[in-house]
Amino acid sequence: ATSNNECPEGTSSAPGLPNCCVPDPSFLGDGACDAHPPYNTADCGYDLGDCCRDSCDPSSAFGCDAKEGDAYGPFGYYCLDPRYGPAIDEGACAAENREWVGDGGCDPEYNTAECGWDGGDCCRQSCDPKFAYYECGREAQPFDCKDPDIIYRADYIP
């Protein structure tokens, strides 16, 4: 177990997460995905659940549902927690702008298996308007579904 004095300078441990050393523990579990390390790591509970739609707490400060026009965001859902999908392969998904993954807008450069098909943003069937910052399928970032689990369905609609 790590105590505050064992965390690197400028960081402190989070309550209940002894190996999680972050600059601001209040960012953990606040309903806004802090997509980069040290927050979005196994030791920090993947930002205490904020980075996966299925584990983000809607009763948290940001409520997991920032929308375009809010004073903050987008945060996206750069989901690395293996318990929730679509899983992102952090080593292979070279997403510089991790907050764009799962933000509702289809980003062609992240529309890959390694990036979880842009967190589901590029398919009408997987983009979730409840959690999307931008309108799903908006004109500036239209759907371009490449997820084989969706496009080969008998009921697929592009």
Side-chain angles (χ1 to χ4, degrees), residues 2 4-12 21:
T2 307
N4 279 348
N5 59 5
E6 292 178 26
C7 281
E9 190 173 333
T11 66
S12 55
C21 295

Side-chain angles (χ1 to χ4, degrees), residues 5-112:
N5 59 5
E6 292 178 26
C7 281
E9 190 173 333
T11 66
S12 55
S13 63
L17 297 168
N19 297 317
C20 176
C21 295
V22 293
D24 189 343
S26 74
F27 287 10
L28 297 164
D30 65 357
C33 175
D34 296 285
H36 293 275
Y39 295 97
N40 194 12
T41 62
D43 282 342
C44 292
Y46 303 100
D47 200 23
L48 263 189
D50 290 340
C51 293
C52 299
R53 290 189 287 236
D54 291 338
S55 58
C56 194
D57 178 2
S59 68
S60 57
F62 288 100
C64 312
D65 63 356
K67 299 287 182 229
E68 187 173 16
D70 288 349
Y72 47 82
F75 303 113
Y77 288 92
Y78 194 81
C79 185
L80 298 175
D81 189 331
R83 298 173 298 177
Y84 305 99
I88 291 170
D89 180 341
E90 188 175 20
C93 176
E96 186 175 328
N97 298 297
R98 290 181 173 195
E99 66 278 4
W100 293 1
V101 174
D103 68 353
C106 179
D107 298 291
E109 64 272 34
Y110 304 142
N111 191 10
T112 64

